[in-house]
């Protein structure tokens, strides 16, 4: 049996006491008092900010919108049926933002930046606010540089410039997505980062588009932001904002960015210097936005009825 030496034990205890550091972590937490229709009312978050992200159990996030005297109303971004009365809610201290960075290129993510492609977590610490103040007309640059779609009929007859907005309107199965995919594939070998934002589509359709881009080698410069038809409406609503925020990062870093939004619903603000192409299934529901270019400009909020 090994002998125990008192001096060795004393030496170890003294070393641990000398190196002891007491870390205090203070978190403001609240309690869910009611949940319904994607809205949660939380008690105990007196210092919550408007638009701040709140962390709910089961990896569900929410946005604090209604700040009342004794409670906070939050919109849940995720499967709200997992949130129950009495659950603990934590403040994140950050407003609604999307992850950005070179690590996002080639990945398929949801509007919150959670990877959906099974390739592991995304290693980036950079985030950019989803809602940003649009710059004035004086701050914007003129449209000078063309965007080549790769389709001769369009490139020769329709002047598309980086920074202007274009609409692709047509009935179902008329080739709107085909034009979009051809435009993305035509950017291969250039300095353009493409962002494809799919809203309200079937997961099988999104998977097929990702496979097409992967087989052509286009995922090397493409980010796919997916908010499928099975996702809550709140995620589908913020999807174009998240995609535009990602495009703004590459614009600010002197990289061209093309962001394309493909959905069955419109109403999204478009940051400056972005080129927009809008596919739609019906004229009253113009959707889609494609952002592009650090050289051009494009607009303020646009809504099409």
């Amino acid at each position: 049996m090994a002998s125990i030496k008192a001096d060795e034990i004393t030496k170890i205890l003294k070393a641990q006491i000398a190196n002891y550091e007491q870390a205090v972590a203070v978190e403001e937490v609240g309690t869910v008092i009611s949940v319904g229709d994607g809205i949660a009312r939380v008690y105990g978050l007196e210092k919550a900010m408007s638009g701040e992200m709140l962390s709910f159990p089961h990896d569900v996030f929410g946005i604090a919108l209604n700040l009342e005297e004794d409670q906070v109303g939050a919109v849940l971004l995720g499967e709200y049926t997992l949130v129950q009365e009495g659950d603990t809610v934590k403040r994140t201290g950050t407003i609604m933002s999307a992850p950005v960075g070179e690590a996002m290129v080639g990945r398929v993510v949801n509007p919150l930046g959670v990877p959906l492609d099974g390739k592991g977590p995304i290693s980036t610490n950079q985030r950019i606010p989803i809602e940003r103040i649009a710059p004035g007309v004086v701050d914007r640059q003129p449209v000078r540089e063309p965007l080549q779609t790769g389709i001769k009929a369009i490139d020769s007859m329709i002047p598309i410039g980086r920074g202007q907005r274009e609409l692709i309107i047509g009935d179902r199965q008329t080739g709107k997505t085909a034009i979009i995919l051809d435009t993305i594939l035509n950017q291969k070998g250039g300095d353009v980062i493409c962002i494809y934002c799919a809203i309200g589509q079937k997961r099988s359709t999104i998977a097929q588009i990702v496979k097409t881009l992967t087989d052509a080698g286009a995922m090397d410069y493409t980010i796919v932001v997916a908010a499928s038809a099975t996702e809550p409406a709140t995620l589908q609503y913020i999807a174009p904002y998240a995609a535009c925020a990602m495009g703004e990062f590459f614009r600010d870093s002197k990289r061209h960015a093309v962001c394309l939004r493909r959905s069955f619903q419109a109403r999204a603000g478009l940051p400056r210097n972005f080129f927009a192409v809008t596919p739609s299934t019906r004229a009253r529901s113009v959707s889609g936005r494609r952002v592009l270019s650090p050289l051009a400009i494009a607009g303020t909020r646009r809504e099409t009825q």
Side-chain angles (χ1 to χ4, degrees):
M1 182 176 179
S3 60
I4 301 177
K5 297 182 179 179
D7 56 341
E8 293 181 357
I9 297 178
T10 303
K11 184 178 180 181
I12 294 175
L13 291 176
K14 288 182 178 180
Q16 292 181 348
I17 294 174
N19 298 327
Y20 176 75
E21 293 182 2
Q22 184 178 4
V24 179
V26 179
E27 292 183 338
E28 184 177 351
V29 298
T31 305
V32 177
I33 57 178
S34 66
V35 183
D37 297 330
I39 304 296
R41 294 194 171 274
V42 182
Y43 174 80
L45 297 180
E46 290 83 1
K47 297 182 180 180
M49 301 178 293
S50 178
E52 181 181 0
M53 292 183 63
L54 304 178
S55 177
F56 291 80
H58 307 289
D59 294 329
V60 177
F61 288 91
I63 304 178
L65 293 181
N66 192 24
L67 304 181
E68 300 180 8
E69 185 176 353
D70 57 345
Q71 58 183 290
V72 175
V75 177
L76 298 179
L77 304 175
E79 192 57 51
Y80 63 87
T81 57
L82 300 176
V83 180
Q84 303 294 330
E85 182 179 342
D87 286 346
T88 300
V89 185
K90 298 180 181 180
R91 290 184 57 194
T92 61
T94 59
I95 63 174
M96 190 63 197
S97 59
V100 294
E102 295 290 343
M104 301 290 295
V105 180
R107 303 300 300 270
V108 181
V109 299
N110 71 359
L112 297 177
V114 178
L116 304 176
D117 49 12
K119 297 181 180 179
I122 299 176
S123 58
T124 178
N125 296 324
Q126 298 174 291
R127 302 187 71 89
I128 188 171
I130 287 180
E131 294 188 359
R132 307 177 69 180
I133 300 176
V137 177
V138 178
D139 298 330
R140 300 172 181 172
Q141 299 176 8
V143 178
R144 301 176 178 177
E145 192 172 351
L147 172 74
Q148 304 297 334
T149 65
I151 303 174
K152 292 183 178 180
I154 296 178
D155 294 337
S156 59
M157 294 188 299
I158 304 174
I160 300 178
R162 293 184 179 181
Q164 73 183 56
R165 292 168 292 188
E166 295 286 341
L167 308 181
I168 303 179
I169 304 175
D171 295 331
R172 294 176 180 270
Q173 304 299 322
T174 55
K176 300 183 299 297
T177 302
I179 295 176
I180 292 165
L181 292 180
D182 287 344
T183 304
I184 293 178
L185 298 179
N186 190 53
Q187 310 307 317
K188 187 174 183 178
D191 59 349
V192 175
I193 298 295
C194 302
I195 303 173
Y196 187 100
C197 184
I199 308 173
Q201 299 187 65
K202 296 185 295 184
R203 289 187 176 182
S204 58
T205 302
I206 299 175
Q208 184 177 3
I209 292 174
V210 173
K211 183 178 185 303
T212 301
L213 296 175
T214 303
D215 294 343
M219 285 301 293
D220 295 338
Y221 53 89
T222 302
I223 305 172
V224 177
V225 180
S228 63
T230 59
E231 300 291 344
T234 49
L235 276 183
Q236 297 183 32
Y237 176 78
I238 68 171
Y241 295 93
C244 288
M246 296 177 189
E248 279 200 340
F249 166 80
F250 291 104
R251 181 207 67 191
D252 295 338
S253 61
K254 308 305 180 183
R255 295 284 300 276
H256 292 202
V258 180
C259 176
L260 170 134
R261 176 187 172 206
R262 177 70 170 88
S263 71
F264 296 101
Q265 51 190 351
R267 289 176 175 63
L270 197 61
R272 68 166 181 173
N273 294 355
F274 281 170
F275 170 82
V277 172
T278 306
S280 173
T281 54
R282 52 178 92 163
R284 291 191 308 167
S285 178
V286 173
S287 50
R289 293 243 150 109
R290 182 189 279 183
V291 249
L292 180 352
S293 157
L295 296 178
I297 325 154
T300 53
R301 180 178 300 273
R302 172 174 182 147
E303 296 186 359
T304 305
Q305 298 293 339

